[in-house]
Amino acid sequence: MSKEMNNTASIMETAIHEITQRCDAANTPCSELLAAFVARTIPSHHSDNNDDDDYDNPSPLFALDNPNSLTEDDVLSIINQSVHLITQKNSPSIETIKMQVQFTTSRLKNEKWRRDKEENIVKERRHLVMGIVNTVPRGQTTADYEFLTRLHRDIFSYIMKTADCGGVVMTNGGNGDGRSSSLSKDVRRGVEREVASAVDSVLPVIALKCFVFLNAEEKRYQIDELESIVLGIRLFNKR
């Protein structure tokens, strides 16, 4: 390290890595996030020298508030103080920080899981709707009941994906392990019955005889309309 470290990211990475290494050596497990939290709390040695009348150029309260001015000795001091704090036993302040880190970590994991889940559902919906709008009967002029039933099932699956996505959002917060719960089995079965009943009432299998001969744009419009109507029926039935 040079006497003047001008790269903020390099300063943080160096300090955090050293803090975690020293804590592990002291048999005190320390995550990078915890090391960063604690390092941010180390006060600046300049803060004690603030002039009460110097309002225009106050010294930073915390050492990492102005990392570009830190010397190698300053960074070493931050590391030493951070390790000392983290390795303390039965310290209310450090335990509070650890709880905050655990909460933040769980929230980040939860958000990532929810985001990944929603992205997967969007991809599955895109795949399903492409199959629906591009499906035509084999004979080009007629559609047998088996063909229509299969198409009806695909439409039901497509609309159910909306309920799945809504379930991820509504149950967000979950299991205490950083993951949300999707719809529970009992709730999902109830939603499936609601959606199936609504789809059957608006677009029964026999009505698909006309639907299959629409062009792709018209089919997509009909599916969007059906999805909105099904949602409206479900909301109305909740009253």
Side-chain angles (χ1 to χ4, degrees), residues 1 5 8 11-20 22-23 34-46 60-86:
M1 288 185 289
M5 302 179 69
T8 302
I11 293 171
M12 289 298 296
E13 289 174 5
T14 300
I16 290 171
H17 177 73
E18 188 66 22
I19 291 168
T20 56
R22 292 193 186 186
C23 288
L34 176 58
F37 261 76
V38 175
R40 290 290 304 176
T41 68
I42 303 302
S44 169
H45 67 273
H46 299 294
L61 182 60
F62 297 103
L64 289 176
D65 284 347
N66 188 16
N68 289 337
S69 67
L70 295 176
T71 65
E72 183 176 356
D73 289 339
D74 293 331
V75 175
L76 185 59
S77 176
I78 292 172
I79 293 171
N80 290 336
Q81 292 182 68
S82 298
V83 172
H84 174 71
L85 288 172
I86 295 171

Side-chain angles (χ1 to χ4, degrees), residues 31-231:
S31 67
E32 291 186 351
L33 187 58
L34 176 58
F37 261 76
V38 175
R40 290 290 304 176
T41 68
I42 303 302
S44 169
H45 67 273
H46 299 294
S47 61
D48 294 334
N49 301 323
N50 276 342
D51 187 340
D52 292 339
D53 296 326
D54 190 5
Y55 297 108
D56 295 328
N57 299 294
S59 298
L61 182 60
F62 297 103
L64 289 176
D65 284 347
N66 188 16
N68 289 337
S69 67
L70 295 176
T71 65
E72 183 176 356
D73 289 339
D74 293 331
V75 175
L76 185 59
S77 176
I78 292 172
I79 293 171
N80 290 336
Q81 292 182 68
S82 298
V83 172
H84 174 71
L85 288 172
I86 295 171
T87 55
Q88 281 184 346
K89 304 297 183 183
N90 302 319
S91 169
S93 59
I94 196 62
E95 292 302 320
T96 300
I97 293 177
K98 287 180 178 179
M99 285 190 291
Q100 177 63 42
V101 169
Q102 184 177 16
F103 172 80
T104 301
T105 301
S106 296
R107 179 174 57 82
L108 292 175
K109 288 181 178 179
N110 186 37
E111 289 179 354
K112 183 180 184 303
W113 180 88
R114 178 178 55 80
R115 186 167 56 250
D116 291 344
K117 183 73 172 179
E118 289 176 350
E119 288 176 355
N120 288 335
I121 290 174
V122 169
K123 290 178 182 177
E124 291 171 0
R125 276 170 54 86
R126 187 181 300 118
H127 175 74
L128 279 169
V129 78
M130 288 301 295
I132 292 169
V133 301
N134 292 323
T135 295
V136 294
R138 289 185 294 271
Q140 299 295 324
T141 57
T142 59
D144 59 32
Y145 190 78
E146 181 182 351
F147 172 86
L148 296 177
T149 301
R150 188 165 57 250
L151 178 59
H152 196 265
R153 189 182 306 116
D154 288 343
I155 292 173
F156 166 78
S157 298
Y158 174 77
I159 295 177
M160 270 302 300
K161 290 298 178 183
T162 302
D164 287 340
C165 190
V168 172
V169 175
M170 288 187 292
T171 60
N172 185 21
N175 304 329
D177 62 354
R179 292 191 174 186
S180 304
S181 303
S182 293
L183 296 174
S184 68
K185 290 183 179 180
D186 290 340
V187 172
R188 183 179 175 81
R189 279 195 290 267
V191 172
E192 286 177 346
R193 287 194 294 269
E194 291 176 6
V195 172
S197 176
V199 170
D200 285 338
S201 66
V202 179
L203 187 68
V205 174
I206 195 66
L208 291 176
K209 282 189 174 182
C210 297
F211 175 85
V212 294
F213 294 107
L214 299 174
N215 62 42
E217 184 177 347
E218 290 171 332
K219 286 179 180 177
R220 188 181 293 273
Y221 175 77
Q222 292 294 329
I223 292 298
D224 289 342
E225 284 293 297
L226 174 63
E227 189 171 27
S228 297
I229 293 171
V230 168
L231 177 59

